[in-house]
Amino acid sequence: MAEHTNEQKFAQMTQDPVEKLIVHLAVPSIISMLITNIYNMADTFFIGQISTSASGAVGVAFSVMAIIQALGFFFGQGAGASLSHALGNRDEKRAQELANVGVFSSILCGILVGTLGLLFIKPLIYFLGATETIYPYCMDYLSIIFIGAPWMAASFVLNNLLRFQGNSYLGMIGLTIGGILNIILDPVFIFGMNLGISGAAIATIFSQAVSFTILVFLCNTRGAVRISFRSFHPSKNHLASITRSGLPSLLRQGVASVATICLNVCARPFGDAAIAAMAIVGKIMHFSNSAMLGFGQGFQPVCGYNYGAKLFDRVKRGYYFCIRVSFIALACIAVAEFFFAEDIITIFRKGDPTVITIGAKALRFQCLTLIFNSVIISSNMLLQTTGRMGPASFISIARQGLFLIPALLILTNTIGLLGLQIAQPVADTCTLFLALPLVSKFLHTLDDPFERLPDAATRD
């Protein structure tokens, strides 16, 4: 029965119209991304009712959350992309082993991160950019988040595995239930049980544990592969495949964590209000990009299957379709956020006009370059899913590392607070001009069989 189902899935992914497939797979991914970001923003909203320093603590803690996510995306994108190639080549045994190496490796790494974080939590918080007034809130929040690191990382892996199998709607179910639960529990724990910012952290790790349990169940009952420790065989070959496809995600998320630390350190001289404002803007822009990311994630399994089956014209059609749709969507979002910037920031920190003023200006600047992400993110996903580790990794680290970190350090030291507010759009502009030639070169190899690089499945 499973073999018959896999044959049907292969036929669907390689024969149905590309645009229809991407939309079909993207809808649950978009919903998953929106739900995930909504409950992240719910945390920001409810914590913002406590104080400006508490809001700043969320921004400081975000770099740690980014590291946990980086592990999840590394093993999830790495195992998922390699798994889709294996399914495209009809190698189901390899797909099964890759999935389990991804899941159990993420759990082990999550335990390591959580243990080290708890051991060195005090110096870590100051290193992340906390002020003296933000420190106690950050301590209460992170000491609980570190406990949930293993299953938080593994949840990202499981969602990606389902998505790369073409079962995005199953991942959506697990994440949506956890997200809704988080939104319900936040006010209950923060205000109803008078736990403050610790309540937000408890709600987060409990909801993630529920999502993890549901995702494991769905993988084992509805997916093409089963999660079982008996299939955990971390061979050099499997780890190399996961690293090749997952490294861009690890670099992107890891560099994002470093960039967040740099942002908080650069904002610290301007006070808690600046740290809180930039944290809020970061969450808003992350939410703004989430639908586009979900749409791109609908493209990835289509890309993986068809690249593995050597149907390169379908790969290119899907890529250009993603850019067109996401460009229009991001343009509409950017216009709305530009004109209602103050109102949006006020939702998260109504009682502090300084936060609103700093945040609204930064949000407007970032709206000016939001449409660039239609090309940047689509190109990164194309290169990553087809196993082009070098170019994909370069684009991944460019936006938040190669360009943003120097922009923050240079601009804040030369023009002060304004430099803090314009650093991200400057980095986005530079990244666009970097991505264009890299993706153009790869697309050219798909047109010319004599220049085409060996496909990822062959290199494995």
Side-chain angles (χ1 to χ4, degrees):
M1 181 66 181
E3 183 177 345
H4 177 65
T5 302
N6 290 341
E7 286 291 328
Q8 288 180 324
K9 178 64 68 176
F10 177 84
Q12 177 192 34
M13 298 293 281
T14 57
Q15 296 175 22
D16 284 6
V18 170
E19 295 81 1
K20 176 185 174 183
L21 269 175
I22 292 174
V23 171
H24 174 72
L25 294 172
V27 169
S29 291
I30 290 171
I31 294 173
S32 296
M33 292 296 296
L34 289 175
I35 290 294
T36 300
N37 280 278
I38 285 171
Y39 79 71
N40 283 335
M41 293 177 76
D43 268 0
T44 304
F45 171 77
F46 289 118
I47 292 171
Q49 311 309 305
I50 301 173
S51 69
T52 296
S53 296
S55 291
V58 176
V60 171
F62 181 75
S63 55
V64 171
M65 304 286 281
I67 291 172
I68 297 172
Q69 289 180 13
L71 291 172
F73 278 111
F74 169 66
F75 288 109
Q77 292 270 358
S82 300
L83 173 148
S84 68
H85 294 164
L87 292 175
N89 287 323
R90 307 192 182 189
D91 188 348
E92 294 173 19
K93 181 177 182 294
R94 176 176 171 79
Q96 172 82 10
E97 292 174 350
L98 283 164
N100 282 280
V101 170
V103 171
F104 290 105
S105 296
S106 70
I107 292 174
L108 293 173
C109 288
I111 292 171
L112 179 63
V113 168
T115 302
L116 292 175
L118 290 171
L119 287 174
F120 302 102
I121 190 166
K122 183 173 182 178
L124 175 64
I125 290 174
Y126 284 116
F127 174 76
L128 297 177
T131 63
E132 289 294 336
T133 47
I134 286 176
Y135 171 82
Y137 292 102
C138 204
M139 172 67 80
D140 290 344
Y141 190 77
L142 282 180
S143 59
I144 295 170
I145 291 297
F146 279 128
I147 296 172
W151 61 84
M152 290 172 70
S155 293
F156 287 106
V157 178
L158 292 164
N159 180 52
N160 276 283
L161 292 179
L162 286 168
R163 182 167 57 81
F164 274 100
Q165 295 171 52
N167 294 321
S168 299
Y169 69 98
L170 295 178
M172 177 196 72
I173 292 171
L175 291 180
T176 300
I177 293 174
I180 292 173
L181 183 61
N182 199 155
I183 293 170
I184 294 171
L185 293 179
D186 263 343
V188 173
F189 288 162
I190 295 172
F191 305 114
M193 299 181 67
N194 201 30
L195 294 174
I197 197 169
S198 296
I202 294 170
T204 296
I205 67 167
F206 179 78
S207 302
Q208 290 277 357
V210 172
S211 288
F212 170 76
T213 304
I214 293 171
L215 289 168
V216 170
F217 174 77
L218 291 173
C219 275
N220 287 344
T221 56
R222 303 288 298 278
V225 298
R226 291 181 61 83
I227 306 304
S228 170
F229 192 73
R230 287 176 293 182
S231 298
F232 178 45
H233 306 299
S235 69
K236 181 179 178 180
N237 181 273
H238 292 338
L239 292 172
S241 295
I242 290 173
T243 300
R244 181 181 301 115
S245 297
L247 187 60
S249 289
L250 178 65
L251 291 173
R252 181 175 60 248
Q253 293 292 120
V255 169
S257 177
V258 176
T260 302
I261 295 170
C262 185
L263 176 66
N264 291 329
V265 171
C266 290
R268 184 159 49 190
F270 306 105
D272 288 8
I275 296 176
M278 297 309 295
I280 291 169
V281 171
K283 290 291 180 73
I284 292 168
M285 297 310 294
H286 202 265
F287 179 79
S288 302
N289 281 309
S290 61
M292 190 265 149
L293 285 167
F295 195 80
Q297 288 176 355
F299 162 65
Q300 284 187 296
V302 178
C303 177
Y305 265 91
N306 286 280
Y307 190 75
K310 296 181 172 59
L311 300 173
F312 301 119
D313 285 341
R314 289 172 61 84
V315 173
K316 290 189 294 180
R317 278 175 53 197
Y319 168 70
Y320 290 124
F321 178 65
C322 282
I323 290 180
R324 291 196 301 271
V325 173
S326 58
F327 182 92
I328 295 170
L330 290 176
C332 294
I333 293 170
V335 170
E337 290 181 347
F338 186 90
F339 286 104
F340 297 99
E342 284 90 356
D343 297 323
I344 295 171
I345 301 296
T346 301
I347 293 172
F348 297 95
R349 192 69 192 114
K350 185 176 182 179
D352 195 328
T354 306
V355 172
I356 296 169
T357 301
I358 295 172
K361 193 171 184 178
L363 180 58
R364 285 198 172 100
F365 278 125
Q366 294 195 30
C367 285
L368 298 177
T369 58
L370 184 61
I371 55 173
F372 295 172
N373 287 329
S374 61
V375 175
I376 295 169
I377 296 174
S378 296
S379 299
N380 185 262
M381 288 183 169
L382 171 69
L383 294 169
Q384 180 175 357
T385 307
T386 54
R388 268 53 190 184
M389 184 179 71
S393 300
F394 197 30
I395 294 173
S396 293
I397 65 174
R399 181 172 181 262
Q400 298 287 65
L402 183 63
F403 297 127
L404 179 58
I405 293 175
L408 283 167
L409 296 174
I410 294 169
L411 294 174
T412 54
N413 281 313
T414 54
I415 55 177
L417 182 59
L418 177 62
L420 189 74
Q421 295 166 316
I422 69 171
Q424 186 64 69
V426 168
D428 289 345
T429 304
C430 295
T431 306
L432 175 68
F433 286 105
L434 172 69
L436 287 172
L438 291 175
V439 74
S440 296
K441 180 179 179 181
F442 171 70
L443 291 171
H444 182 62
T445 67
L446 296 183
D447 292 326
D448 189 343
F450 295 103
E451 294 188 21
R452 191 172 296 143
L453 299 173
D455 64 85
T458 301
R459 292 197 304 271
D460 291 344

